[in-house]
Amino acid sequence: MTTLLASVVVLAGCTQPADGGASTEEPTTAPAVDATAANLPTTSGPFDGEIAVADGVLPPTNSWLAPAVFAPADRPVFTGTLSVRLRADGLGLGFPQPQASAGILMGAHPDHVQLGLPADDYVLERVDELSGTFAYRQDGQTTGRVTVAEGWPYVAYTAAAAHSIELPASTVAAEGGASAEVGGITYRFVTDGALTGTALDLAEGGSLVVFAEPAGASESDRASLLAGAVPLAGTDVAYAVEDGRATTTLTYDTGGAPTVVASLPHQGTTTDGEPLAATVPSVHGDLALATGSEATFSVPAGEPVPALDLGNLDDAERARVSEQLRADVAAVAFDADDSYYAGKQLQRASQLYQLATGLGLTDEAAAVKEQMVGELDKWFDPEGCATRAERCFAYDDTLKGLVGMEPSYGSDEFNDHHFHYGHMLYALGVLAAEDPALAERYRPVADAVAHDIAAPEQTGSFPQRRAFDDWWGHSWASGTAPFGDGNNQESSSEAVNAWAGLALWADASGDAAMAEQARWMLANETATALEYWVAPELPAAFGHSSVGINWQGKRDFATFFDADPSAVVGIQLIPMSPTHAAYLAQEPEAVQAMVEAAVPDGNPAGRPLVDYVIMAQALTDPDRAAAMLERLPAEQVDNGNSMSYLTAFVLGQD
């Protein structure tokens, strides 16, 4: 073993072939959620483009494969090692080389190797946890198949009919088949076909596997990579949460043949093979390589923490928070029609409910709960969208999932579902934990909402773990990923919040399989939030200590909504639940650097999302946070936060 640093339509459900499965058994809720989806009112969103999937394959929204499936403009997908641009008549391969400048770290796809194929279109024919196979077709007949996988430094092609492929002009014969130097990088072509000059003739069933040699690769490294260039049948992911660790095992099915896998910096992977000396450059750091077809890594596990610990508040502070709480409760209003802001209002109310309960303010707690139940009755009513156009869920039979009505921030194109629904599940989990009748009342739609973002296994209506990427250990936020840099995620903290909320709901509803998966996802999303957003290793030229948006092929100190540094920092903190405080406290120096970037003069006035920055400051310097709180205009408290919760959070850190 070796260690590495790795509108109405008729509903028509479909199934999706999958070669792998998680460690948990298929939950008994799967038939129920399909039935719920089938009976919900339906909707069709604005996406009207081509969806390149074969019959029976659910569209993989929010996936690393989404650019190739939803983008006829030939946008690349990033495997973590190679990048691949699929075209109707072929594909281009590249080995991205990251370059840093102020606020941007770019690892763009280089179209180095062009492979023309006898085809006029392609479709995603098979998808599992880490891999996908695209069938290339000509006049409707499959001519070949391309398989790509995350963490696998190869692209494999199998001919379904005999044909010829033209390799790059610089191609020469080499061990295993051929090699070509393009753009200063050596690409190897391992094949059982016949090479004549630059023409490769493949028989029916013949294969071609392409990889790039990393700079500085030794003879031993090259030999391992060459031996590992074998076809891939699929992948599997298993997980467990026990003894304070969340463990993930990735399996690459090569029929028993040896291969090579790559490891992200946060993984600390062990494999069933040996390490290579060479590494793969990426915008997320150098990726270690090792031989083997099975890789295991673990990260610290943690529990969702729904309520603040008020033990540090003295009598005067409790009185101050109580007075503010009464005012905040009196002002509670559920006036947001869209799924994002309604979700934030529900989670805000759940914080007020817990705060009131913790302070012994039973009347205020009861008042907040009553209003929350009234709002939840709307959102989780299966017939809601049959009678109104907002505060309800409908099923989109094109993209295969639930859309909260009204949509916002592109949620009708499946953007940000885990952000929106995570807030709702968090609030629902808080109430249902103490009131089991509410769990039964809301279970049909709530379970469907949970499966929309995180089905443990794919069902007829929902893909497996839509938002979460098992290899990266974090989520992707864009539904159709219409970008040249792959998919992306901005708010790492709202992704953490999604899995905390999912765990709370699963606990309250008694879904043990979902609860285990949610904790596994929470652990990994927390670890990667710290590793890639909050406390990343970045080149000096980047000029910042944290990241606002991580893409597969790029990193930005930016947001989609505001360039102010406090917005870039704040979006990594929202909604700043006690769960967030627990993991952010592990990186006090990084958190302090974020605060200094957001509020360098200590004056919060006029800065977006600054209330969350003040809460982060309380984790490293409670006195400075208290001073900043005194200077915060009340109107700057975010609509997902409240002055009473903010005050209790800051004062409770003493």
Side-chain angles (χ1 to χ4, degrees):
M1 302 290 284
T2 181
T3 300
L4 309 176
L5 293 177
S7 226
V8 172
V9 296
V10 177
L11 178 69
C14 70
T15 58
Q16 174 174 356
D19 294 329
S23 65
T24 54
E25 296 180 357
E26 182 176 356
T28 58
T29 50
V33 298
D34 283 343
T36 297
N39 290 310
L40 284 173
T42 56
T43 184
S44 57
F47 181 81
D48 59 0
E50 175 186 349
I51 304 178
V53 295
D55 291 343
V57 176
L58 272 65
T61 69
N62 305 84
S63 163
W64 68 287
L65 291 170
V69 171
F70 297 99
D74 307 324
R75 297 184 178 94
V77 296
F78 294 82
T79 69
T81 51
L82 293 171
S83 55
V84 186
R85 187 190 302 272
L86 281 77
R87 307 185 312 272
D89 60 352
L91 70 160
L93 307 176
F95 196 44
Q97 304 296 301
Q99 301 291 324
S101 59
I104 299 176
L105 181 54
M106 178 70 75
H109 164 71
D111 256 343
H112 281 165
V113 175
Q114 298 293 323
L115 299 178
L117 301 174
D120 51 30
D121 78 343
Y122 67 81
V123 292
L124 180 65
E125 183 180 68
R126 182 201 61 82
V127 60
D128 60 24
E129 288 87 338
L130 308 178
S131 72
T133 296
F134 293 87
Y136 274 81
R137 308 182 301 192
Q138 190 166 49
D139 299 326
Q141 298 298 311
T142 299
T143 55
R145 293 177 173 87
V146 169
T147 297
V148 292
E150 295 177 297
W152 193 56
Y154 306 96
V155 172
Y157 178 76
T158 302
H163 59 259
S164 179
I165 300 175
E166 189 70 21
L167 300 182
S170 58
T171 297
V172 296
E175 183 182 2
S179 70
E181 185 170 323
V182 186
I185 296 169
T186 299
Y187 292 89
R188 300 293 298 268
F189 306 94
V190 181
T191 181
D192 55 8
L195 183 68
T196 304
T198 59
L200 174 64
D201 293 323
L202 292 175
E204 179 180 348
S207 67
L208 168 65
V209 181
V210 185
F211 69 91
E213 291 186 357
S218 66
E219 286 298 324
S220 176
D221 292 339
R222 286 192 283 270
S224 294
L225 284 162
L226 189 65
V230 294
L232 179 71
T235 65
D236 179 70
V237 174
Y239 58 81
V241 182
E242 56 188 3
D243 299 328
R245 306 290 295 184
T247 302
T248 305
T249 299
L250 316 175
T251 301
Y252 296 81
D253 180 5
T254 56
T259 192
V260 171
V261 296
S263 174
L264 284 161
H266 80 279
Q267 291 174 338
T269 300
T270 60
T271 77
D272 54 352
E274 295 296 331
L276 275 62
T279 59
V280 174
S282 86
V283 295
H284 294 82
D286 290 339
L287 309 188
L289 296 171
T291 60
S293 59
E294 185 175 283
T296 299
F297 63 92
S298 70
V299 297
E303 287 294 310
V305 186
L308 287 174
D309 182 352
L310 305 178
N312 287 334
L313 297 181
D314 60 29
D315 290 345
E317 291 168 338
R318 291 176 72 90
R320 174 181 172 182
V321 173
S322 296
E323 180 181 3
Q324 182 63 56
L325 178 68
R326 294 186 180 96
D328 287 339
V329 169
V332 166
F334 292 105
D335 54 6
D337 294 332
D338 69 279
S339 57
Y340 180 60
Y341 288 107
K344 288 180 68 177
Q345 287 183 340
L346 280 164
Q347 184 159 350
R348 176 185 185 273
S350 75
Q351 293 168 342
L352 292 174
Y353 171 76
Q354 293 171 103
L355 193 54
T357 300
L359 292 169
L361 302 177
T362 56
D363 290 343
E364 286 75 10
V368 174
K369 179 179 178 180
E370 182 179 7
Q371 288 184 271
M372 289 180 67
V373 168
E375 184 72 359
L376 290 166
D377 278 344
K378 298 173 184 175
W379 278 101
F380 292 94
D381 175 7
E383 300 297 326
C385 282
T387 59
R388 58 183 178 274
E390 71 280 326
R391 302 185 189 184
C392 59
F393 287 100
Y395 186 81
D396 186 325
D397 192 40
T398 299
L399 297 182
K400 306 300 181 184
L402 299 190
V403 177
M405 310 297 281
E406 283 283 318
S408 57
Y409 297 107
S411 60
D412 48 353
E413 295 184 79
F414 281 60
N415 296 347
D416 301 350
H417 278 200
H418 57 312
F419 298 163
H420 298 208
Y421 305 166
H423 289 292
M424 293 183 179
L425 291 172
Y426 191 106
L428 181 54
V430 165
L431 290 189
E434 300 178 3
D435 190 344
L438 291 179
E440 293 306 311
R441 182 169 169 177
Y442 300 129
R443 183 189 303 276
V445 175
D447 279 347
V449 168
H451 277 67
D452 178 80
I453 58 175
E457 298 287 346
Q458 75 102 39
T459 76
S461 303
F462 303 105
Q464 184 180 31
R465 290 192 288 276
R466 182 193 304 277
F468 188 78
D469 190 306
D470 296 356
W471 187 68
W472 284 94
H474 63 71
S475 311
W476 297 118
S478 177
T480 61
F483 310 104
D485 301 306
N487 217 316
N488 72 85
Q489 181 159 267
E490 180 181 57
S491 182
S492 62
S493 54
E494 286 182 286
V496 168
N497 190 67
W499 314 134
L502 180 64
L504 293 174
W505 165 246
D507 287 346
S509 63
D511 189 337
M514 183 69 85
E516 181 185 17
Q517 176 185 266
R519 282 168 169 79
W520 169 69
M521 295 161 73
L522 175 62
N524 281 277
E525 194 88 50
T526 297
T528 53
L530 293 175
E531 183 81 26
Y532 304 122
W533 279 266
V534 173
E537 291 189 13
L538 296 164
F542 188 76
H544 301 276
S545 66
S546 64
V547 172
I549 307 172
N550 273 307
W551 308 70
Q552 291 172 281
K554 182 175 69 171
R555 309 179 81 176
D556 287 333
F557 187 79
T559 75
F560 287 110
F561 61 93
D562 196 314
D564 193 299
S566 70
V568 180
V569 169
I571 201 61
Q572 307 310 326
L573 306 172
I574 186 172
M576 204 59 169
S577 74
T579 304
H580 296 84
Y583 76 84
L584 290 169
Q586 300 173 31
E587 292 286 353
E589 293 182 3
V591 169
Q592 186 59 41
M594 292 172 72
V595 172
E596 295 295 344
V599 193
D601 59 359
N603 182 8
R607 301 183 188 275
L609 300 182
V610 75
D611 47 329
Y612 299 110
V613 179
I614 294 173
M615 297 164 86
Q617 179 67 92
L619 300 177
T620 60
D621 190 339
D623 291 339
R624 187 169 187 259
M628 293 168 68
L629 178 61
E630 297 302 324
R631 303 178 68 180
L632 178 69
E635 62 271 15
Q636 279 189 240
V637 177
D638 182 59
N639 52 22
N641 202 354
S642 65
M643 184 60 81
S644 53
Y645 180 78
L646 169 59
T647 303
F649 187 102
V650 171
L651 298 182
Q653 302 303 320
D654 290 336

